[in-house]
Amino acid sequence: MQLMPRTAAWLGVPNALDPASNVEGGTRYLRELLVHYNNDLIKVLAAYNAGPERVEQYHGLPPTRDRRLCRSNYPRFESQKT
């Protein structure tokens, strides 16, 4: 899992470099995001990757390099309304 220091602190993860703590905290974070975004997996994964602030700022997927690659490799995301 990738936990940024502020996120790890918010989740109460004592040591994000400890594999067990990291995975436990990361799965809790994903659950929090699933609840927050009503199981919208696209927004959940975007928030996990770019941060919830960016998803809120753009009302959906932020315009990142990853999104452009995703659209070019998976055209079905092009029509995704967010």
Side-chain angles (χ1 to χ4, degrees), residues 3-14 21-22 24-30 32:
L3 292 178
M4 301 309 284
R6 189 176 77 180
T7 305
W10 175 74
L11 291 165
V13 175
S21 296
N22 183 289
E24 194 270 331
T27 54
R28 275 192 292 130
Y29 185 45
L30 285 172
E32 294 286 332

Side-chain angles (χ1 to χ4, degrees), residues 7-82:
T7 305
W10 175 74
L11 291 165
V13 175
N15 180 3
L17 298 178
D18 171 59
S21 296
N22 183 289
V23 170
E24 194 270 331
T27 54
R28 275 192 292 130
Y29 185 45
L30 285 172
R31 185 179 187 315
E32 294 286 332
L33 292 173
L34 282 165
V35 169
H36 180 76
Y37 292 108
N38 299 311
N39 295 319
D40 183 335
L41 193 55
I42 300 296
K43 288 183 180 177
V44 168
L45 294 176
Y48 183 84
N49 185 41
E53 298 85 6
R54 300 269 292 164
V55 173
E56 302 300 324
Q57 176 185 359
Y58 289 98
H59 306 287
L61 297 176
T64 63
R65 179 177 182 275
D66 294 339
R67 181 177 179 189
R68 290 189 300 275
L69 290 173
C70 186
R71 282 193 308 222
S72 65
N73 292 325
Y74 302 97
R76 66 187 177 94
F77 287 119
E78 184 67 37
S79 63
Q80 196 81 350
K81 298 275 188 222
T82 56

